[in-house]
Amino acid sequence: MTGDIELIKQTAIFGGLGDDALTELLSAGSVKTPSRGETLFLQGDPANAFFVVLEGWVKIYRITKAGEETVVGVFTRGQSFAEAAAFTAGKFPASAECVTDCRLLMIPSRHLLDRIRARPEIGLTMLASTSQHLHSLMRQIQQLKAHTGAQRLAEFLLSLAPVESGACTIALPYDKALIAGQLGMKPESLSRAIARLKERGVRVKQNMATLSDVEQLRDFFEQERAEVLRTRG
């Protein structure tokens, strides 16, 4: 875990903690390496731990009364999940599944609560960090709703691009249905967005996306955003 400390420090929930407090919390933590498709917990299970993604992607989902799966969120390197349930030591309100092979830091809920009882300032600091992160997520959701489908997909691909300019090929981290869910779109809307981005040099085949010009795609995203702001202003 030593090599992951800097990443863990940057995780939103740990952002305000000092080194000594962080060391206390991590003392009972363990690194798990679940495989793609492995279930971490199910909706209704006792919330006995929370997690930080060190590598890979994890989806959080709920099953509706109609038996349909609804994706609540997708988490990747440097992000934490299930901490709210861990704070209450209640039950997980949703299920979690690895959509790729993963490395995860798991911290037991009981240890977290014990540390907070012993040092209440740890809980207050984590609460403040979580609150700031929640406000940031709310802003992101508002921005997402203001974006067109093509904008959302362009921004997603740009976030995965390994270069700032020129051409590149991206291995999509999970299937298109999950990408659509994460971007707040239906699968057919995602297909239309992919078709629209073809004229911007984007080609998507199975789990691979090819960008002919990253800067061109970024320019498209910025132009679309400016147009949306203009029409809504």
Side-chain angles (χ1 to χ4, degrees):
M1 192 192 305
T2 304
D4 300 309
I5 292 297
E6 288 305 314
L7 174 66
I8 294 169
K9 285 181 178 179
Q10 295 170 21
T11 302
I13 193 171
F14 296 136
L17 292 178
D19 289 346
D20 59 336
L22 183 61
T23 298
E24 283 188 37
L25 281 176
L26 297 183
S27 63
S30 57
V31 175
K32 306 296 182 183
T33 55
S35 301
R36 177 181 179 179
E38 188 169 333
T39 297
L40 301 174
F41 53 80
L42 292 173
Q43 183 176 330
D45 283 352
N48 54 10
F50 74 100
F51 303 81
V52 176
V53 183
L54 303 177
E55 294 178 18
W57 295 78
V58 175
K59 73 172 178 180
I60 307 296
Y61 66 96
R62 290 177 61 90
I63 301 298
T64 67
K65 292 181 179 179
E68 297 178 348
E69 179 182 300
T70 300
V71 176
V72 177
V74 183
F75 297 84
T76 190
R77 178 176 168 82
Q79 296 179 320
S80 61
F81 61 93
E83 57 267 48
F87 271 125
T88 62
K91 295 183 178 181
F92 289 118
S95 303
E97 178 185 313
C98 296
V99 293
T100 66
D101 292 344
C102 292
R103 286 181 64 244
L104 307 174
L105 169 64
M106 184 178 77
I107 298 178
S109 302
R110 179 174 295 180
H111 177 69
L112 170 65
L113 295 175
D114 285 345
R115 290 300 85 214
I116 290 175
R117 292 188 187 100
R119 296 182 58 181
E121 69 273 16
I122 290 179
L124 292 173
T125 300
M126 294 178 72
L127 182 61
S129 297
T130 302
S131 177
Q132 291 175 359
H133 184 53
L134 179 60
H135 285 300
S136 175
L137 288 176
M138 292 301 293
R139 287 194 298 271
Q140 291 177 25
I141 291 172
Q142 290 175 343
Q143 292 171 359
L144 185 65
K145 288 182 177 179
H147 291 170
T148 65
Q151 272 182 291
R152 298 179 196 184
L153 179 58
E155 186 175 29
F156 175 72
L157 293 174
L158 288 169
S159 72
L160 297 176
V163 296
E164 293 295 320
S165 61
C168 69
T169 298
I170 301 167
L172 299 177
Y174 36 82
D175 62 49
K176 292 178 184 176
L178 186 52
I179 291 173
Q182 184 185 4
L183 298 181
M185 295 189 285
K186 294 181 178 180
E188 55 268 29
S189 298
L190 178 63
S191 296
R192 287 194 292 270
I194 291 173
R196 187 177 175 199
L197 290 185
K198 282 184 179 180
E199 62 189 55
R200 302 293 176 172
V202 175
R203 297 291 184 273
V204 178
K205 186 175 182 180
Q206 296 181 340
N207 68 330
M208 301 298 293
T210 301
L211 280 57
S212 64
D213 189 332
V214 173
E215 286 184 319
Q216 180 186 23
L217 186 61
R218 186 178 296 109
D219 288 343
F220 163 78
F221 173 75
E222 295 296 342
Q223 290 167 7
E224 284 279 299
R225 180 165 62 179
E227 179 63 21
V228 169
L229 291 175
R230 186 187 66 79
T231 56
R232 297 194 177 201

